[in-house]
Amino acid sequence: MSLYIDIKKKIKNFNLDVKFEAGNEVFGVLGSSGCGKSMTLKCIAGIETPDCGKIILDGRTLFDSENKINLIPQKRKIGFLFQNYALFPNMTVEENIAVSLKKRNDKNIIKDKIKAFYLEGLEKKYPCQLSGGQQQRVALARILVTNPDIILLDEPFSALDSFLKWQLEQEIIETVESFGKTVLFVSHNRDEVYHICNKIGVIENGYMEETRDKKSLFADPKTLSAALLTGCKNISKVRRLSDNNIEAIDWGVSFKMTREIPENTAYVGIRANDIEIIPGSDDNGILIRCNVCRIIESLFSNIFVLEINGKESIKNSGKLRLEIKKKDSYDYINKKNIKIRIKEEDLLLLT
């Protein structure tokens, strides 16, 4: 274990209640805007103070309310990359990197970081003269020049276009792999955390709902928030009819299952790409007849918005989204009604 955190803090809109452990890995904190992600990082860094709890890093206690321990940020050995990189606008590249050093004239260390982050030739430039990618590299160099025990990354790609984001993702991945210690990566973007992180914790309204390795979490989320944040758009409230039978209220469909349905199941979900259109002669699996009410085209696929049993309803109740590759979709473009199949193992049972 490298990082242990168990803290509580009363905030204006909710109570932060976060507990998790992270080893020498890239740990993702996934959550919607305003859920407490950034506040968690600020508490670890010492910028904010929890009301109670503990924060332990590599055996060093950074915060312990019971024993009245609360190290100042300068003594925590933490590298914090803010959303806007927080470079000093009146300092050059080399001055921004040097500002974290006790001996700011240690030119060899500064030179090594400038070379490592491909900033040669930019030493005398100011932040306003740099691209977004160059600014991020300067900020990372400034963090790593102090040899921190942990790196905190707070939504580092939030203001970037898709192409620049892709480039900087690769640079971040290289940086954290060579770092070899604990990295916390905070984002509301499921693709970013999946690309970069090994393990992911889902936070909602200040509470860490579940923590798992990324493949397990995306394959089988256990809560409504985790399903939504990992990209599931087809979700219905359910009524549990028996140990093996539930009714999807919003879809008007019942599912008889071979597995036992947990008593606390409140929702059922199905990912768009787990739904398949089937020929009229194939009757295997859970079958639902639908009308095609809208087709949304994208570059490489089509999203079919399906209306179950042709029922008109509000708030998209009774609607399912089916995403299929374009080359596979032309046979269905002009059809008004189709038959779809859902496999039992693809149904997500959510609390």
Side-chain angles (χ1 to χ4, degrees), residues 170-329:
Q170 307 316 302
E171 293 181 12
I172 286 283
I173 290 170
E174 285 185 23
T175 300
V176 298
E177 284 179 350
S178 62
F179 180 60
K181 302 177 186 178
T182 306
V183 177
L184 293 189
F185 180 87
V186 156
S187 179
H188 65 274
N189 186 296
R190 67 178 185 274
D191 293 325
E192 291 175 8
V193 294
Y194 197 90
H195 294 163
I196 294 172
C197 303
N198 312 114
K199 189 187 293 182
I200 299 170
V202 174
I203 188 169
E204 180 67 17
N205 289 325
Y207 179 71
M208 188 71 80
E209 291 191 344
E210 53 178 315
T211 300
R212 280 189 283 159
D213 70 89
K214 65 181 179 184
K215 290 186 178 179
S216 171
L217 176 65
F218 275 72
D220 189 21
K222 301 299 183 184
T223 67
L224 174 63
S225 297
L228 290 169
L229 288 165
T230 56
C232 182
K233 295 182 175 63
N234 300 310
I235 293 175
S236 169
K237 292 181 180 179
V238 300
R239 182 182 295 111
R240 189 174 181 272
L241 304 176
S242 68
D243 290 347
N244 303 97
N245 200 349
I246 55 171
E247 177 190 359
I249 298 169
D250 296 330
W251 302 339
V253 177
S254 294
F255 298 106
K256 189 172 184 180
M257 309 179 74
T258 57
R259 55 176 158 158
E260 185 173 342
I261 300 161
E263 291 185 8
N264 62 347
T265 301
Y267 302 89
V268 64
I270 180 74
R271 298 193 186 277
N273 55 6
D274 286 333
I275 303 171
E276 60 178 317
I277 299 174
I278 62 170
S281 58
D282 190 338
D283 288 327
N284 295 315
I286 302 170
L287 305 178
I288 304 172
R289 293 192 177 275
C290 302
N291 290 340
V292 179
C293 59
R294 186 163 66 256
I295 299 172
I296 303 170
E297 288 194 78
S298 60
L299 286 175
F300 305 109
S301 64
N302 285 324
I303 298 173
F304 285 51
V305 180
L306 308 174
E307 198 170 60
I308 299 174
N309 298 326
K311 293 179 180 177
E312 291 289 344
S313 53
I314 60 172
K315 296 183 180 179
N316 279 335
S317 295
K319 301 270 176 52
L320 288 171
R321 289 159 182 81
L322 164 66
E323 185 169 358
I324 52 181
K325 294 178 181 178
K326 271 198 168 182
K327 65 179 181 180
D328 297 329
S329 63

